[in-house]
Amino acid sequence: MSKRPLILVTNDDGITAPGLRTLISVMHTIGDVVVVAPDSPQSAMGHAITINSTLHIEKVNIDGKQPEYACSGTPADCVKLAVNEILDRRPDICVSGINHGSNSSINVIYSGTMSAALEAGIEGIPAIGFSLLDYNWNADFEHCKLFIETITKEVLKHGLSDGVVLNVNIPNKKQGKLRGIKVCRQARANWKEEFDKRTNPMGRDYYWLTGSFVNMDNGEDTDEWALANGYVSVVPVQFDLTAHHAIKSINTWNLND
Amino acid sequence: MSKRPLILVTNDDGITAPGLRTLISVMHTIGDVVVVAPDSPQSAMGHAITINSTLHIEKVNIDGKQPEYACSGTPADCVKLAVNEILDRRPDICVSGINHGSNSSINVIYSGTMSAALEAGIEGIPAIGFSLLDYNWNADFEHCKLFIETITKEVLKHGLSDGVVLNVNIPNKKQGKLRGIKVCRQARANWKEEFDKRTNPMGRDYYWLTGSFVNMDNGEDTDEWALANGYVSVVPVQFDLTAHHAIKSINTWNLND
């Protein structure tokens, strides 16, 4: 058995995405790599899983450098299949990405990239989601590599608390030389939807979801602040969604009269 | 303009689901009801949204008692469409459910029902997801009604803190007379997956996702404890996923050397 860590690599943009291929190349400098990724893009899938239809796994050979499996399901499905059906032993870490586009602040909720990392976290595996603030399929990922290597090695060295995974976002190359890595909280932000209403050739209305991003948070300890100021943002993310601070006041309500 | 609250009702089991029809009937005792729900079941969709395909809205008449719209998207899409395209004014509250099946503990992450409530919360609308611990399509929802009415009225009276929505689960009718409502935290639990591997008539392998639920949390302040002991569980849920407690220790790592 290899002494090198076993690294599960996945994403939500699909197994041929340049962001994934970059992540694989970085992981080869750290450990033994197995790829289990969706066979087609799964962006904005949130934490969907496939329970009402079947799942397929295809062993594929893309560059001959590591075992790779294309899966018909969502990113969360890929992690479940990897851990339970594909891998001989539990991976030492799961990395997801590099996503083509931001998963900062509220985007974490909609993110397939982060859903894979969260699923690994639920299974007790240290996990990181990486995203680049560039939606372009041919984005330049070169400046991401050193940051990804540093963060992954630190996670392997220190571990992560139970129930915690990391959400890492990296500024666009165009932003110039980066200032470093900053540990942040998730900014309070949302999307202001604008549905683009159209009429199809049969006369029926349909809609495209579009919108603009609104950051309502002025804090300098947020991921949005860090990214706007040239830092790589690292947000520790949990899947205990309990709003512990709200329990006390709700207990004063008349719920049992 | 009506002085009665405007109530947006949605779900993830689809617009004809008995759980939704029960929830509508309870909401008529409280306010004016508009239904915007998926035109087909969307269970386990997590917080998916539709960005790479089109959305359709169909005005439908199921029982003639309230305006109803069937939407082609996910539960989160339904809320976005309701707020931005369908409703004349912002709803005073959004209720989602009654889900046919549990959304307690880790299930909140996979839940379409809760995704609708979270989406409303992100839009700043007080929101509650209701679920019954019975997966049967013809489950008996009668014992849920009074609890749902009480909780909804208390939310309308007190409001909810910014960024907080409620996850309400109700024991199965078979559990007998319920002991009341308990405000809880989300239990630490997960699913132990067991993939059911089969071979299709063309000789190709495929998988069904199955599994068993494992509660690893002995706390008596959890939703799992409450439900097992005959209480309706109310967990305040947040969409700030930051693991604030983890920031300090990660800041001791060598991230910027």
Side-chain angles (χ1 to χ4, degrees):
Chain A
M1 199 183 87
S2 166
K3 288 279 171 58
R4 285 160 59 87
L6 178 62
I7 304 174
L8 171 62
V9 184
T10 188
N11 77 341
D12 77 340
D13 289 315
I15 199 158
T16 61
L20 178 79
R21 310 316 301 177
T22 304
L23 188 55
I24 293 168
S25 74
V26 177
M27 291 305 131
H28 273 294
T29 68
I30 301 175
D32 294 334
V33 175
V34 178
V35 179
V36 182
D39 58 14
S40 62
Q42 300 283 326
S43 293
M45 281 306 282
H47 207 90
I49 51 172
T50 303
I51 53 171
N52 291 317
S53 88
T54 58
L55 290 164
H56 296 268
I57 303 168
E58 196 81 53
K59 189 155 203 229
V60 294
N61 184 345
I62 293 178
D63 58 17
K65 292 183 182 155
Q66 59 282 314
E68 299 203 42
Y69 301 84
C71 164
S72 63
T74 65
D77 290 329
C78 287
V79 172
K80 286 178 185 287
L81 282 167
V83 173
N84 292 283
E85 290 292 321
I86 298 171
L87 298 174
D88 293 330
R89 68 176 182 94
R90 282 173 70 77
D92 297 294
I93 192 167
C94 171
V95 293
S96 177
I98 307 168
N99 191 58
H100 293 240
S102 171
N103 280 315
S104 61
S105 65
I106 195 65
N107 298 301
V108 67
I109 292 266
Y110 306 100
S111 165
T113 304
M114 283 308 298
S115 145
L118 281 163
E119 187 61 41
I122 292 168
E123 307 251 0
I125 299 159
I128 318 170
F130 293 103
S131 305
L132 172 65
L133 272 64
D134 189 335
Y135 291 89
N136 203 312
W137 190 256
N138 298 310
D140 187 342
F141 289 95
E142 204 54 37
H143 67 295
C144 303
K145 289 183 169 178
L146 196 60
F147 294 108
I148 290 173
E149 189 182 333
T150 300
I151 294 166
T152 305
K153 282 181 171 171
E154 287 295 299
V155 168
L156 281 166
K157 186 171 157 195
H158 299 281
L160 285 168
S161 314
D162 181 47
V164 173
V165 306
L166 298 187
N167 181 18
V168 176
N169 283 270
I170 302 168
N172 191 313
K173 178 86 175 179
K174 291 187 193 129
Q175 211 167 318
K177 189 165 158 45
L178 298 181
R179 294 164 70 185
I181 297 170
K182 227 173 153 47
V183 185
C184 311
R185 66 175 173 86
Q186 174 185 327
R188 179 75 169 99
N190 67 8
W191 286 88
K192 190 169 157 37
E193 283 85 21
E194 289 144 27
F195 283 97
D196 182 350
K197 185 176 179 176
R198 301 183 179 191
T199 305
N200 77 9
M202 284 68 74
R204 188 179 176 206
D205 289 338
Y206 66 95
Y207 299 84
W208 287 103
L209 173 57
T210 67
S212 48
F213 181 73
V214 186
N215 182 10
M216 300 168 288
D217 196 328
N218 294 320
E220 299 195 355
D221 54 348
T222 69
D223 51 1
E224 291 302 331
W225 187 92
L227 293 162
N229 286 276
Y231 291 96
V232 172
S233 68
V234 175
V235 177
V237 161
Q238 61 190 356
F239 43 86
D240 174 5
L241 305 192
T242 311
H244 290 277
H245 65 281
I247 289 179
K248 199 174 162 188
S249 72
I250 297 173
N251 267 323
T252 67
W253 297 2
N254 277 331
L255 291 172
N256 287 301
D257 280 0
Chain B
M1 200 182 85
S2 166
K3 287 277 171 60
R4 284 160 61 86
L6 179 61
I7 305 174
L8 171 63
V9 184
T10 189
N11 77 340
D12 76 339
D13 290 315
I15 199 159
T16 61
L20 178 78
R21 310 317 299 178
T22 304
L23 187 55
I24 293 168
S25 74
V26 177
M27 291 304 132
H28 273 296
T29 68
I30 301 175
D32 295 335
V33 175
V34 178
V35 179
V36 181
D39 58 13
S40 62
Q42 299 283 324
S43 293
M45 281 305 282
H47 208 93
I49 51 171
T50 303
I51 53 172
N52 291 317
S53 88
T54 59
L55 290 164
H56 296 269
I57 303 169
E58 197 81 52
K59 189 156 203 228
V60 294
N61 184 345
I62 293 178
D63 58 18
K65 291 182 183 157
Q66 60 281 317
E68 300 203 40
Y69 301 84
C71 164
S72 63
T74 65
D77 290 330
C78 287
V79 172
K80 285 179 185 287
L81 282 166
V83 173
N84 292 283
E85 289 292 321
I86 297 171
L87 298 174
D88 294 329
R89 67 177 181 93
R90 280 172 71 76
D92 297 293
I93 192 167
C94 171
V95 292
S96 178
I98 307 167
N99 190 58
H100 293 240
S102 171
N103 280 315
S104 60
S105 65
I106 195 65
N107 299 301
V108 68
I109 293 266
Y110 306 100
S111 166
T113 304
M114 283 309 298
S115 144
L118 281 164
E119 186 61 41
I122 292 168
E123 306 250 0
I125 299 160
I128 318 171
F130 294 102
S131 305
L132 172 65
L133 271 63
D134 188 334
Y135 291 91
N136 202 312
W137 190 257
N138 297 309
D140 187 342
F141 289 95
E142 204 54 37
H143 67 294
C144 303
K145 289 183 169 179
L146 195 60
F147 294 108
I148 290 173
E149 189 183 332
T150 299
I151 294 166
T152 305
K153 283 181 171 170
E154 288 294 299
V155 168
L156 281 166
K157 186 172 158 192
H158 299 282
L160 286 167
S161 314
D162 181 48
V164 174
V165 306
L166 298 187
N167 181 18
V168 176
N169 283 270
I170 303 168
N172 191 312
K173 178 85 173 181
K174 291 185 194 130
Q175 212 166 319
K177 189 166 158 46
L178 298 181
R179 294 165 70 184
I181 297 169
K182 227 171 153 46
V183 186
C184 313
R185 66 175 173 84
Q186 175 185 326
R188 179 76 168 96
N190 67 8
W191 286 88
K192 190 170 159 33
E193 284 84 22
E194 290 144 25
F195 284 96
D196 182 351
K197 184 176 180 177
R198 302 184 180 192
T199 306
N200 77 10
M202 283 69 73
R204 188 179 177 206
D205 289 338
Y206 66 95
Y207 299 83
W208 288 102
L209 173 56
T210 66
S212 48
F213 182 74
V214 185
N215 182 10
M216 300 168 287
D217 195 328
N218 294 318
E220 299 196 354
D221 55 346
T222 69
D223 51 0
E224 292 302 331
W225 187 92
L227 293 161
N229 287 276
Y231 291 97
V232 172
S233 68
V234 175
V235 176
V237 161
Q238 61 191 356
F239 43 86
D240 173 4
L241 305 192
T242 311
H244 291 277
H245 64 281
I247 289 179
K248 199 173 163 189
S249 72
I250 297 173
N251 266 324
T252 66
W253 297 2
N254 277 333
L255 292 172
N256 288 300
D257 279 0

